[in-house]
């Protein structure tokens, strides 16, 4: 057996490996670093990210942040103003408001995580299939999407929640059923722009099936835009969850949930404003944080879209 050798006796450079796992890992790390640098030029985005991280840390460390039980009632100490013992006062049942706001962060994060897990795959798959396949598949999937989009999200969520019954699980399902259509529309637009791309045509000529093209090429290319859209939609998810809780269709007592806290405290708003102010401010701040972080993330993952 002979080997191709150069005049100096060494193998040509074409024999050397140029794409090792180490090189791929270094390229990924470098890409993440460059993305982080683009993110850090947005001070408001950093502020939003900091608030989101604080929400996560609060949800995890809730048992260590307060000595009170969020469900323990003390009728002798009801509607106490903020003090050293109760930083944000107590509610109509004598429960510590700060404790319930902290544990409410757990409920909010739980809703956000499950809605994202449900919505992202549904919207991404439906949109990518509709955009790439076209024809009758596009017509059927998009007409179903249009039916969901024809109703305001909160109204549709209220309808689903009322039909399914009160409870946090049913509220999550109701929110997810109203949150996927915008993701599907966005993924379809991305798939339409990629369907006739040269690299897709090359893969098709190599004999790749439609399923392989969608899963290996279309879906990964649609993912960044969908991630940005999900981040921006988190504010709407939080407000919808709070609205369902306010109307008694979300988390049920004695679970701490910001919307339900506002609902039960509105009767005492004039004499004891802290009962409503604390969860209301929490809803507003966290919703704003996701909007700020989403705007910065859009510039990182889709620089042209932010111009």
């Amino acid at each position: 057996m002979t080997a191709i050798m150069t005049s100096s006796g060494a193998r040509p450079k074409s024999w050397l490996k140029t794409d090792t796992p180490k090189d791929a890992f270094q390229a990924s790390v470098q890409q993440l670093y460059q993305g982080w640098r683009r993110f850090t030029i947005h001070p408001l985005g950093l502020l939003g990210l900091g608030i989101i991280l604080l929400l996560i840390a609060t949800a995890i460390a809730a048992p260590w942040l307060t000595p009170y039980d969020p469900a323990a009632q003390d009728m002798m100490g009801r509607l106490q103003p903020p003090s050293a013992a109760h930083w944000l006062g107590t509610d109509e049942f004598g429960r510590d408001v700060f404790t319930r706001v902290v544990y409410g962060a757990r409920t909010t994060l739980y809703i956000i995580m499950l809605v994202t897990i449900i919505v992202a795959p549904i919207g991404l798959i439906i949109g990518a299939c509709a955009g790439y396949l076209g024809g009758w598949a596009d017509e059927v999937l998009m007409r179903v999407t249009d039916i969901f989009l024809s109703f305001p999200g909160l109204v549709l969520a209220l309808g689903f929640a009322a039909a399914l019954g009160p409870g946090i699980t049913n509220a999550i399902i109701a929110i997810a059923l109203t949150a996927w259509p915008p993701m599907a529309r966005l993924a379809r637009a991305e798939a339409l722009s990629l369907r006739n791309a040269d690299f897709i045509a090359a893969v098709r000529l190599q004999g790749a099936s439609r399923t392989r093209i969608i899963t290996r090429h279309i879906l990964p290319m649609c993912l960044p835009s969908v991630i940005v859209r999900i981040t921006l939609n988190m504010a709407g998810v939080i407000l919808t969850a709070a609205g369902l809780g306010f109307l008694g269709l979300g988390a049920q007592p004695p679970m701490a949930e910001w919307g339900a806290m506002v609902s039960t405290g509105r009767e005492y708003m004039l004499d004891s404003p802290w009962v409503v102010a604390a969860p209301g401010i929490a809803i507003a701040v966290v919703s704003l944080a996701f909007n700020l972080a989403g705007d910065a993330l859009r510039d990182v993952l889709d620089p042209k879209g932010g111009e």
Side-chain angles (χ1 to χ4, degrees), residues 244-261:
L244 294 178
F246 183 86
L247 296 174
L249 297 173
Q252 298 300 297
M255 179 180 288
E257 198 273 326
W258 294 339
M261 292 173 64

Side-chain angles (χ1 to χ4, degrees), residues 31-42 45-46 49 224-225 227-228 292-307:
Q31 187 175 8
L32 288 174
Y33 176 72
Q34 294 296 331
W36 171 249
R37 289 193 60 183
R38 290 197 298 270
F39 190 91
T40 56
I41 65 176
H42 301 278
L46 289 174
L49 178 62
S225 298
I227 290 175
V228 173
L292 295 177
D295 286 336
L297 190 62
R298 176 178 56 193
D299 293 339
V300 172
L301 297 180
D302 187 16
K304 294 182 180 180
E307 294 178 356

Side-chain angles (χ1 to χ4, degrees), residues 147-161 171 173-182 233 236-237 239-241 244:
I147 292 174
F148 281 86
L149 289 174
S150 62
F151 297 93
L154 180 57
V155 174
L156 192 59
L158 288 174
F160 282 124
I173 295 173
I175 296 172
L177 288 174
T178 62
W180 69 264
N233 279 11
V237 170
L239 293 175
T240 303
L244 294 178

Side-chain angles (χ1 to χ4, degrees), residues 135-191:
W136 66 267
D138 185 24
E139 287 294 326
V140 171
L141 293 175
M142 286 301 102
R143 295 300 76 77
V144 174
T145 303
D146 290 340
I147 292 174
F148 281 86
L149 289 174
S150 62
F151 297 93
L154 180 57
V155 174
L156 192 59
L158 288 174
F160 282 124
L164 295 172
I168 188 171
T169 301
N170 291 339
I172 291 172
I173 295 173
I175 296 172
L177 288 174
T178 62
W180 69 264
M183 315 294 173
R185 275 290 182 185
L186 181 61
R188 175 182 179 270
E190 293 282 346

